[in-house]
Amino acid sequence: MELAISITGRVWEANVEWASHAPRAVEYGVPQAVMDDVYAGRRPNGTPEQVLVYDVCMAMHIDHRLSRPLYESATAAFGERGLAEIMAAIGYYVLVSMTLNAFEVEVAPGTPVPFAREP
């Protein structure tokens, strides 16, 4: 789930979201190279499941829907419940990202700022 949350933080350029969840994704087994790709705005070269999570998240963030083939791939890989959990997580973290950005919540002191803001 940390990968999906990190993708959402990247889409929203939410500094606290990325700084909090991207390291957890790596800690929980997502390769740093996958996270580097996500940060750079590239489709990652990861496992089929990691690429599928990316595709699902980006489809929802950009197109606001899943194509039938993508839905079928996601339910085959994660089940309907697993897909619903991904949707719930990214929906919730869109709210969190918007709130963090609206109130310009800063990362903890000493933490690199992932997405620079114009003054």
Side-chain angles (χ1 to χ4, degrees):
M1 207 54 67
E2 294 295 327
L3 176 57
I5 296 166
S6 297
I7 293 164
T8 301
R10 174 63 183 100
V11 168
W12 282 89
E13 295 184 349
N15 286 315
V16 171
E17 202 68 53
W18 182 267
S20 298
H21 291 277
R24 293 301 83 62
V26 173
E27 180 181 324
Y28 298 145
V30 177
Q32 184 63 52
V34 167
M35 300 310 294
D36 292 344
D37 285 343
V38 170
Y39 181 79
R42 294 185 299 262
R43 187 173 189 243
N45 184 20
T47 67
E49 291 81 11
Q50 291 163 350
V51 173
L52 184 56
V53 167
Y54 180 85
D55 289 348
V56 164
C57 291
M58 293 305 291
M60 292 308 300
H61 289 310
I62 304 303
D63 301 328
H64 312 296
R65 64 187 40 88
L66 299 178
S67 67
R68 174 56 60 184
L70 186 53
Y71 171 84
E72 289 173 357
S73 293
T75 56
F78 309 123
E80 285 187 346
R81 181 178 178 153
L83 179 58
E85 289 173 0
I86 292 170
M87 294 300 101
I90 67 174
Y92 174 77
Y93 282 99
V94 164
L95 169 65
V96 171
S97 294
M98 289 188 327
T99 304
L100 292 168
N101 285 353
F103 292 95
E104 297 181 356
V105 177
E106 297 179 7
V107 296
T111 301
V113 178
F115 311 109
R117 300 272 187 256
E118 295 288 324

